[in-house]
Amino acid sequence: LTRCYPVVDVLEGAPAPKNVWSEKEGGTSVMYVANHCSWMDIPYMGAAIGWRNYKIVAKKELTKVPILGQSILLGGHVCVDRSNRRSQIKTLRDGAGWLRSGVPLCAFPEGTRSKTGRVMAFKRGAFKMACTAGARVVPLSIVGSQRVMPVGWLMPKVSSRSVPARVVVHPPVESEGKTEKEVSEEVRQAIISGLPEEQRPAQ
């Protein structure tokens, strides 16, 4: 009805949305990681992986946003205070704990929305959680969300169908035996490969 549902492209070897919740090995779930340049990225990610119980890794500042903040706190999502080292350690433990218990995590490792739509540098916190829990990481390339709802807009500017907005689901990246730096770079390159030139990092 809202015309804001994205096209979901599942690449060969990637978990289809209907199989996402059975993608567990030894009780450990998977982490979903995507580029971030619009508020629409959150519902787009949900559309790609299915509307089930998963936790989002969010910065503490978002808990102050009306309605959204209450939802984050009541939903038991993983919040990180980037100015507090003790909070960061607790966040790592909480996130790894959810993964070990079979609950998927969703993260935007750029840490904030890109104002240009281009992929920025990745922070490694989310990947440290995945490596600690031995969880696989599924890269998601979100295409066109910055055109649907640009930074600074409170409502979508145009419909997702008119862009059209897409989410590309890539095959999972193993974290076993790798450092968070290695996993981060492998996931980042996968995400970039699914984006158009206008969203890739500037040369």
Side-chain angles (χ1 to χ4, degrees):
L1 293 176
T2 62
R3 297 181 297 167
C4 283
Y5 202 86
V7 174
V8 179
D9 295 330
V10 181
L11 302 185
E12 184 176 354
K18 66 179 181 180
N19 297 324
V20 160
W21 309 107
S22 61
E23 289 283 326
K24 302 175 184 177
E25 293 182 358
T28 298
S29 191
V30 295
M31 172 176 278
Y32 296 90
V33 170
N35 56 302
H36 194 25
C37 53
S38 170
W39 283 116
M40 293 302 295
D41 295 332
I42 298 173
Y44 283 178
M45 180 181 278
I49 68 177
W51 300 101
R52 302 294 172 85
N53 181 35
Y54 55 83
K55 303 301 178 184
I56 295 175
V57 180
K59 56 186 179 181
K60 184 181 178 181
E61 294 91 322
L62 291 180
T63 61
K64 299 178 182 178
V65 178
I67 302 177
L68 175 62
Q70 291 177 312
S71 299
I72 290 173
L73 293 173
L74 291 175
H77 297 280
V78 181
C79 296
V80 57
D81 182 350
R82 292 179 290 188
S83 65
N84 187 315
R85 177 62 178 168
R86 183 174 296 179
S87 170
Q88 293 173 8
I89 295 173
K90 182 180 184 301
T91 298
L92 171 61
R93 291 174 179 168
D94 291 347
W98 281 120
L99 289 170
R100 290 194 185 102
S101 67
V103 177
L105 284 185
C106 300
F108 299 101
E110 291 162 283
T112 189
R113 289 170 293 163
S114 168
K115 294 181 179 180
T116 64
R118 294 185 181 275
V119 173
M120 301 184 295
F122 279 9
K123 301 180 187 302
R124 296 180 193 167
F127 303 103
K128 187 179 289 289
M129 293 179 199
C131 289
T132 299
R136 295 180 299 168
V137 181
V138 178
L140 304 175
S141 301
I142 300 180
V143 180
S145 62
Q146 81 283 4
R147 294 171 58 192
V148 175
M149 189 172 177
V151 172
W153 284 67
L154 297 178
M155 296 291 288
K157 180 180 179 182
V158 297
S159 74
S160 299
R161 295 177 186 176
S162 67
V163 172
R166 294 190 303 121
V167 179
V168 181
V169 183
H170 298 270
V173 173
E174 299 290 342
S175 66
E176 288 282 0
K178 299 177 183 176
T179 66
E180 58 261 26
K181 180 179 180 181
E182 292 171 332
V183 177
S184 172
E185 185 57 30
E186 192 171 343
V187 170
R188 188 170 187 269
Q189 290 305 316
I191 290 174
I192 291 172
S193 73
L195 296 174
E197 188 61 39
E198 66 187 45
Q199 285 188 254
R200 296 184 177 187
Q203 298 297 324

mmCIF file of all heavy atoms in Angstrom, residues 28-53:
data_model
loop_
_atom_site.group_PDB
_atom_site.id
_atom_site.type_symbol
_atom_site.label_atom_id
_atom_site.label_comp_id
_atom_site.label_asym_id
_atom_site.label_seq_id
_atom_site.Cartn_x
_atom_site.Cartn_y
_atom_site.Cartn_z
ATOM 1 N N THR A 28 24.454 -21.328 16.792
ATOM 2 C CA THR A 28 24.869 -19.948 16.529
ATOM 3 C C THR A 28 24.157 -19.411 15.295
ATOM 4 O O THR A 28 24.114 -20.072 14.269
ATOM 5 C CB THR A 28 26.393 -19.863 16.318
ATOM 6 O OG1 THR A 28 27.037 -20.287 17.515
ATOM 7 C CG2 THR A 28 26.819 -18.441 16.011
ATOM 8 N N SER A 29 23.618 -18.234 15.396
ATOM 9 C CA SER A 29 22.887 -17.643 14.287
ATOM 10 C C SER A 29 23.844 -16.843 13.405
ATOM 11 O O SER A 29 25.055 -16.977 13.496
ATOM 12 C CB SER A 29 21.774 -16.754 14.814
ATOM 13 O OG SER A 29 20.915 -16.373 13.779
ATOM 14 N N VAL A 30 23.270 -15.997 12.550
ATOM 15 C CA VAL A 30 24.072 -15.197 11.631
ATOM 16 C C VAL A 30 23.889 -13.708 11.922
ATOM 17 O O VAL A 30 22.921 -13.298 12.548
ATOM 18 C CB VAL A 30 23.689 -15.476 10.158
ATOM 19 C CG1 VAL A 30 24.021 -16.903 9.780
ATOM 20 C CG2 VAL A 30 22.213 -15.193 9.916
ATOM 21 N N MET A 31 24.835 -12.920 11.443
ATOM 22 C CA MET A 31 24.745 -11.476 11.548
ATOM 23 C C MET A 31 24.519 -10.902 10.150
ATOM 24 O O MET A 31 25.171 -11.329 9.191
ATOM 25 C CB MET A 31 26.016 -10.889 12.152
ATOM 26 C CG MET A 31 26.072 -9.367 12.121
ATOM 27 S SD MET A 31 27.526 -8.701 12.947
ATOM 28 C CE MET A 31 26.973 -8.753 14.652
ATOM 29 N N TYR A 32 23.604 -9.955 10.035
ATOM 30 C CA TYR A 32 23.326 -9.295 8.772
ATOM 31 C C TYR A 32 23.916 -7.891 8.819
ATOM 32 O O TYR A 32 23.680 -7.139 9.763
ATOM 33 C CB TYR A 32 21.818 -9.240 8.521
ATOM 34 C CG TYR A 32 21.237 -10.619 8.362
ATOM 35 C CD1 TYR A 32 20.762 -11.315 9.460
ATOM 36 C CD2 TYR A 32 21.226 -11.243 7.120
ATOM 37 C CE1 TYR A 32 20.268 -12.600 9.335
ATOM 38 C CE2 TYR A 32 20.736 -12.527 6.990
ATOM 39 C CZ TYR A 32 20.264 -13.200 8.099
ATOM 40 O OH TYR A 32 19.798 -14.485 7.964
ATOM 41 N N VAL A 33 24.685 -7.551 7.817
ATOM 42 C CA VAL A 33 25.399 -6.277 7.783
ATOM 43 C C VAL A 33 25.108 -5.562 6.471
ATOM 44 O O VAL A 33 25.170 -6.184 5.403
ATOM 45 C CB VAL A 33 26.914 -6.506 7.947
ATOM 46 C CG1 VAL A 33 27.683 -5.239 7.677
ATOM 47 C CG2 VAL A 33 27.220 -7.018 9.346
ATOM 48 N N ALA A 34 24.789 -4.272 6.537
ATOM 49 C CA ALA A 34 24.432 -3.525 5.329
ATOM 50 C C ALA A 34 25.032 -2.126 5.341
ATOM 51 O O ALA A 34 25.406 -1.598 6.401
ATOM 52 C CB ALA A 34 22.909 -3.416 5.208
ATOM 53 N N ASN A 35 25.104 -1.525 4.164
ATOM 54 C CA ASN A 35 25.469 -0.108 4.050
ATOM 55 C C ASN A 35 24.300 0.733 4.556
ATOM 56 O O ASN A 35 23.164 0.257 4.631
ATOM 57 C CB ASN A 35 25.808 0.234 2.597
ATOM 58 C CG ASN A 35 24.684 -0.113 1.627
ATOM 59 O OD1 ASN A 35 24.249 -1.273 1.533
ATOM 60 N ND2 ASN A 35 24.196 0.871 0.899
ATOM 61 N N HIS A 36 24.571 1.987 4.886
ATOM 62 C CA HIS A 36 23.550 2.799 5.561
ATOM 63 C C HIS A 36 23.571 4.242 5.056
ATOM 64 O O HIS A 36 24.543 4.961 5.252
ATOM 65 C CB HIS A 36 23.837 2.785 7.065
ATOM 66 C CG HIS A 36 22.717 3.287 7.918
ATOM 67 N ND1 HIS A 36 21.392 3.266 7.538
ATOM 68 C CD2 HIS A 36 22.724 3.821 9.186
ATOM 69 C CE1 HIS A 36 20.639 3.754 8.499
ATOM 70 N NE2 HIS A 36 21.428 4.108 9.510
ATOM 71 N N CYS A 37 22.469 4.664 4.423
ATOM 72 C CA CYS A 37 22.391 6.052 3.951
ATOM 73 C C CYS A 37 20.978 6.627 4.039
ATOM 74 O O CYS A 37 20.718 7.695 3.496
ATOM 75 C CB CYS A 37 22.930 6.163 2.520
ATOM 76 S SG CYS A 37 22.196 5.035 1.346
ATOM 77 N N SER A 38 20.077 5.918 4.750
ATOM 78 C CA SER A 38 18.699 6.408 4.856
ATOM 79 C C SER A 38 17.988 5.704 6.003
ATOM 80 O O SER A 38 18.328 4.566 6.361
ATOM 81 C CB SER A 38 17.955 6.132 3.545
ATOM 82 O OG SER A 38 16.567 6.369 3.687
ATOM 83 N N TRP A 39 16.976 6.371 6.565
ATOM 84 C CA TRP A 39 16.132 5.707 7.562
ATOM 85 C C TRP A 39 15.426 4.500 6.950
ATOM 86 O O TRP A 39 15.038 3.573 7.658
ATOM 87 C CB TRP A 39 15.086 6.677 8.105
ATOM 88 C CG TRP A 39 15.574 7.665 9.109
ATOM 89 C CD1 TRP A 39 15.603 9.026 8.973
ATOM 90 C CD2 TRP A 39 16.096 7.403 10.426
ATOM 91 N NE1 TRP A 39 16.107 9.618 10.112
ATOM 92 C CE2 TRP A 39 16.422 8.652 11.009
ATOM 93 C CE3 TRP A 39 16.326 6.227 11.149
ATOM 94 C CZ2 TRP A 39 16.959 8.754 12.304
ATOM 95 C CZ3 TRP A 39 16.867 6.335 12.425
ATOM 96 C CH2 TRP A 39 17.169 7.578 12.985
ATOM 97 N N MET A 40 15.241 4.475 5.643
ATOM 98 C CA MET A 40 14.553 3.368 4.988
ATOM 99 C C MET A 40 15.362 2.080 5.031
ATOM 100 O O MET A 40 14.832 0.995 4.794
ATOM 101 C CB MET A 40 14.261 3.728 3.525
ATOM 102 C CG MET A 40 13.266 4.850 3.324
ATOM 103 S SD MET A 40 11.650 4.539 4.082
ATOM 104 C CE MET A 40 11.078 3.151 3.121
ATOM 105 N N ASP A 41 16.644 2.172 5.353
ATOM 106 C CA ASP A 41 17.483 0.972 5.377
ATOM 107 C C ASP A 41 16.995 -0.053 6.398
ATOM 108 O O ASP A 41 17.142 -1.260 6.185
ATOM 109 C CB ASP A 41 18.931 1.348 5.692
ATOM 110 C CG ASP A 41 19.558 2.209 4.614
ATOM 111 O OD1 ASP A 41 19.138 2.098 3.445
ATOM 112 O OD2 ASP A 41 20.466 3.007 4.933
ATOM 113 N N ILE A 42 16.431 0.418 7.499
ATOM 114 C CA ILE A 42 15.974 -0.510 8.539
ATOM 115 C C ILE A 42 14.788 -1.349 8.041
ATOM 116 O O ILE A 42 14.845 -2.578 8.101
ATOM 117 C CB ILE A 42 15.642 0.253 9.834
ATOM 118 C CG1 ILE A 42 16.901 0.954 10.362
ATOM 119 C CG2 ILE A 42 15.082 -0.696 10.888
ATOM 120 C CD1 ILE A 42 16.655 1.868 11.543
ATOM 121 N N PRO A 43 13.699 -0.741 7.539
ATOM 122 C CA PRO A 43 12.620 -1.589 7.008
ATOM 123 C C PRO A 43 13.035 -2.378 5.772
ATOM 124 O O PRO A 43 12.548 -3.488 5.548
ATOM 125 C CB PRO A 43 11.500 -0.592 6.677
ATOM 126 C CG PRO A 43 12.163 0.745 6.597
ATOM 127 C CD PRO A 43 13.306 0.692 7.550
ATOM 128 N N TYR A 44 13.957 -1.846 4.979
ATOM 129 C CA TYR A 44 14.438 -2.600 3.817
ATOM 130 C C TYR A 44 15.164 -3.861 4.269
ATOM 131 O O TYR A 44 15.008 -4.937 3.678
ATOM 132 C CB TYR A 44 15.391 -1.742 2.974
ATOM 133 C CG TYR A 44 14.714 -0.702 2.107
ATOM 134 C CD1 TYR A 44 15.474 0.168 1.319
ATOM 135 C CD2 TYR A 44 13.337 -0.573 2.065
ATOM 136 C CE1 TYR A 44 14.869 1.129 0.518
ATOM 137 C CE2 TYR A 44 12.723 0.386 1.284
ATOM 138 C CZ TYR A 44 13.494 1.235 0.504
ATOM 139 O OH TYR A 44 12.897 2.189 -0.289
ATOM 140 N N MET A 45 15.986 -3.736 5.305
ATOM 141 C CA MET A 45 16.677 -4.914 5.830
ATOM 142 C C MET A 45 15.662 -5.935 6.333
ATOM 143 O O MET A 45 15.779 -7.142 6.073
ATOM 144 C CB MET A 45 17.631 -4.515 6.951
ATOM 145 C CG MET A 45 18.379 -5.683 7.554
ATOM 146 S SD MET A 45 19.480 -5.198 8.917
ATOM 147 C CE MET A 45 20.920 -4.641 7.999
ATOM 148 N N GLY A 46 14.649 -5.439 7.043
ATOM 149 C CA GLY A 46 13.603 -6.340 7.528
ATOM 150 C C GLY A 46 12.880 -7.047 6.393
ATOM 151 O O GLY A 46 12.563 -8.233 6.490
ATOM 152 N N ALA A 47 12.633 -6.333 5.313
ATOM 153 C CA ALA A 47 11.961 -6.931 4.161
ATOM 154 C C ALA A 47 12.803 -8.041 3.544
ATOM 155 O O ALA A 47 12.279 -9.028 3.028
ATOM 156 C CB ALA A 47 11.664 -5.858 3.114
ATOM 157 N N ALA A 48 14.132 -7.887 3.605
ATOM 158 C CA ALA A 48 15.035 -8.855 2.991
ATOM 159 C C ALA A 48 15.219 -10.115 3.826
ATOM 160 O O ALA A 48 15.345 -11.211 3.286
ATOM 161 C CB ALA A 48 16.398 -8.217 2.723
ATOM 162 N N ILE A 49 15.237 -9.965 5.150
ATOM 163 C CA ILE A 49 15.547 -11.124 5.990
ATOM 164 C C ILE A 49 14.323 -11.707 6.687
ATOM 165 O O ILE A 49 14.411 -12.763 7.301
ATOM 166 C CB ILE A 49 16.617 -10.775 7.044
ATOM 167 C CG1 ILE A 49 16.081 -9.800 8.087
ATOM 168 C CG2 ILE A 49 17.856 -10.201 6.380
ATOM 169 C CD1 ILE A 49 17.079 -9.471 9.191
ATOM 170 N N GLY A 50 13.179 -11.055 6.587
ATOM 171 C CA GLY A 50 11.968 -11.591 7.190
ATOM 172 C C GLY A 50 11.655 -10.913 8.514
ATOM 173 O O GLY A 50 12.547 -10.499 9.247
ATOM 174 N N TRP A 51 10.380 -10.831 8.835
ATOM 175 C CA TRP A 51 9.953 -10.126 10.046
ATOM 176 C C TRP A 51 9.860 -11.118 11.199
ATOM 177 O O TRP A 51 8.806 -11.630 11.516
ATOM 178 C CB TRP A 51 8.607 -9.443 9.803
ATOM 179 C CG TRP A 51 8.710 -8.458 8.705
ATOM 180 C CD1 TRP A 51 8.304 -8.623 7.411
ATOM 181 C CD2 TRP A 51 9.289 -7.147 8.755
ATOM 182 N NE1 TRP A 51 8.582 -7.501 6.656
ATOM 183 C CE2 TRP A 51 9.186 -6.582 7.451
ATOM 184 C CE3 TRP A 51 9.885 -6.404 9.767
ATOM 185 C CZ2 TRP A 51 9.658 -5.310 7.155
ATOM 186 C CZ3 TRP A 51 10.352 -5.137 9.466
ATOM 187 C CH2 TRP A 51 10.231 -4.600 8.178
ATOM 188 N N ARG A 52 10.990 -11.416 11.810
ATOM 189 C CA ARG A 52 11.054 -12.330 12.942
ATOM 190 C C ARG A 52 11.866 -11.697 14.065
ATOM 191 O O ARG A 52 12.226 -10.533 14.005
ATOM 192 C CB ARG A 52 11.687 -13.654 12.510
ATOM 193 C CG ARG A 52 10.948 -14.353 11.367
ATOM 194 C CD ARG A 52 9.568 -14.815 11.777
ATOM 195 N NE ARG A 52 8.814 -15.301 10.621
ATOM 196 C CZ ARG A 52 8.900 -16.533 10.150
ATOM 197 N NH1 ARG A 52 9.721 -17.393 10.726
ATOM 198 N NH2 ARG A 52 8.173 -16.914 9.112
ATOM 199 N N ASN A 53 12.185 -12.506 15.061
ATOM 200 C CA ASN A 53 12.930 -11.987 16.209
ATOM 201 C C ASN A 53 14.404 -11.836 15.872
ATOM 202 O O ASN A 53 15.141 -12.820 15.783
ATOM 203 C CB ASN A 53 12.772 -12.927 17.407
ATOM 204 C CG ASN A 53 13.519 -12.416 18.623
ATOM 205 O OD1 ASN A 53 13.607 -11.212 18.848
ATOM 206 N ND2 ASN A 53 14.065 -13.328 19.412
#
